[in-house]
Amino acid sequence: MYEMLRLQFIIFSLIGIGCYARKTGIVGPQGQKNITDLVIRIVLPCNIVTSFVMDIDKSVLYDCVCVFVISALIQLLCFLYGKYTYRKIDQNRKTCLRYGLMISNAGFLGNPVAQGIYGDMGLMLASVYLTPVRTMMWSEGIALFSGIRDRKHTMKKVFTHPCVIACILGITIMVVKIFTGVMIVPPLIQSLLQTVGRCNTALSMMVIGMIVSHVKPEDFLEPIVFRYSVERLILIPAVVAALLIPLQRMGFISETISGLCVILAAMPAATTTSMLSSKYNCAPEFSAKMVIVSTILSIPTIFIWSLILAV
């Protein structure tokens, strides 16, 4: 309880700092974009690689496979739910809602939360969890907005993404360490990666604060945005919890796996929802509301889910 309260205080404070920086003009629109790119392309990949650099045994490989499979099934569930719901909604808004159901902010917001609750092991498993998410982001996600389904282009996008490369590199380092006992990353490089990676939580949360700095009271009043937020933050993780907790009690998965997957399933809409809708002129203002409202509402809901899982 104390650790969760401490983590929530830090996260909320960092979000507040980001909001202040954006409101006062310390960081402008271009600066916000640059910080986002810095986190995704440099800071987060370093953080992911270092999460795999630890003393672990072969049992962790089983945990990694379990998390990967669970994440893939969650993506499939969200894809099917989004496909057959929102039938009476405008097509452009429906596209944003379907994307927002599939692709959450499990990377930007989820990684620091996972690390704060479950430590380095949580961050490592969260990186594995995100592999199917990012695959869907650059495949079905792009296809939804563009209407183009190019498998070659999709595979290139997935396997050249810095975070996916970092995850593959991290898994390679972990496997070599487990089976040979040799750490292939020199200590000097480890220190460099750790130093850069430690910036992840602060920068990620401040970017979230910059996003929510534009919120207006009327944004909360649109029923479809509130409905989406309830589905994204409560319904989806509730279904995941209902499926995983029995498996945990039967001993098939650990408490860390079930808790981590529920927490990551409870993340708000990804910022890429707004970016892609703007790029393809697909209800950009509506998608911005989705991101902002779900992100603000996720602050108390993530805390509540953490308490439920701790019981």
Side-chain angles (χ1 to χ4, degrees):
M1 176 73 75
Y2 171 77
E3 182 61 25
M4 195 60 230
L5 287 171
R6 186 189 70 82
L7 178 63
Q8 284 288 325
F9 171 77
I10 292 172
I11 287 176
F12 187 79
S13 299
L14 289 170
I15 290 174
I17 292 170
C19 184
Y20 172 79
R22 187 70 178 85
K23 280 281 190 181
T24 56
I26 296 174
V27 178
Q30 185 59 44
Q32 179 179 330
K33 181 181 182 302
N34 291 343
I35 294 173
T36 302
D37 289 340
L38 176 68
V39 172
I40 292 175
R41 295 180 178 276
I42 298 176
V43 177
L44 184 53
C46 289
N47 195 235
I48 289 171
V49 172
T50 56
S51 71
F52 288 90
V53 181
M54 62 176 74
D55 292 326
I56 49 183
D57 54 41
K58 294 180 182 179
S59 64
V60 175
L61 293 179
Y62 174 79
D63 291 346
C64 289
V65 172
C66 287
V67 169
F68 182 90
V69 172
I70 292 168
S71 176
L73 291 175
I74 292 172
Q75 292 304 112
L76 177 61
L77 175 68
C78 293
F79 168 77
L80 293 175
Y81 180 80
K83 187 175 183 179
Y84 296 105
T85 193
Y86 303 121
R87 293 183 179 180
K88 297 181 180 180
I89 306 298
D90 170 76
Q91 183 58 44
N92 285 344
R93 288 188 168 200
K94 183 177 179 179
T95 297
C96 296
L97 290 164
R98 286 187 62 189
Y99 182 90
L101 282 175
M102 287 192 306
I103 312 301
S104 71
N105 208 356
F108 231 42
L109 183 59
N111 270 332
V113 171
Q115 187 174 23
I117 298 174
Y118 298 104
D120 288 340
M121 181 65 71
L123 177 59
M124 182 196 71
L125 293 175
S127 302
V128 175
Y129 178 97
L130 285 165
T131 302
V133 177
R134 292 193 172 106
T135 301
M136 287 293 285
M137 179 188 296
W138 297 117
S139 55
E140 184 61 28
I142 296 295
L144 273 174
F145 282 103
S146 67
I148 299 173
R149 298 177 181 273
D150 185 337
R151 291 186 180 181
K152 184 178 179 180
H153 179 72
T154 296
M155 295 303 290
K156 182 179 178 181
K157 274 281 189 180
V158 170
F159 287 103
T160 58
H161 192 283
C163 293
V164 175
I165 293 173
C167 191
I168 294 171
L169 181 59
I171 291 172
T172 303
I173 293 169
M174 179 185 69
V175 171
V176 172
K177 179 68 168 61
I178 289 173
F179 289 100
T180 68
V182 177
M183 175 53 66
I184 59 176
V185 182
L188 190 61
I189 300 300
Q190 286 186 44
S191 297
L192 173 62
L193 294 174
Q194 288 169 353
T195 301
V196 177
R198 288 191 189 104
C199 302
N200 179 57
T201 299
L203 290 176
S204 296
M205 293 304 100
M206 283 191 278
V207 169
I208 296 295
M210 294 172 198
I211 293 170
V212 303
S213 65
H214 304 293
V215 70
K216 298 177 182 178
E218 55 266 29
D219 289 339
F220 288 98
L221 303 179
E222 191 165 358
I224 190 62
V225 175
F226 183 75
R227 173 188 165 183
Y228 162 78
S229 298
V230 170
E231 290 171 333
R232 177 70 263 174
L233 304 174
I234 299 175
L235 178 61
I236 292 174
V239 172
V240 173
L243 295 173
L244 295 186
I245 290 176
L247 293 176
Q248 173 198 321
R249 289 176 178 170
M250 289 186 286
F252 291 108
I253 59 175
S254 67
E255 184 179 347
T256 298
I257 291 177
S258 62
L260 179 81
C261 290
V262 172
I263 287 292
L264 293 179
M267 293 296 141
T271 54
T272 50
T273 311
S274 182
M275 295 175 188
L276 289 174
S277 66
S278 179
K279 179 178 180 179
Y280 292 100
N281 194 28
C282 184
E285 292 182 0
F286 176 74
S287 66
K289 289 181 182 181
M290 286 172 54
V291 173
I292 292 170
V293 172
S294 64
T295 299
I296 290 179
L297 293 178
S298 72
I299 296 172
T301 57
I302 290 172
F303 177 66
I304 292 170
W305 276 115
S306 300
L307 293 181
I308 292 172
L309 294 167
V311 175

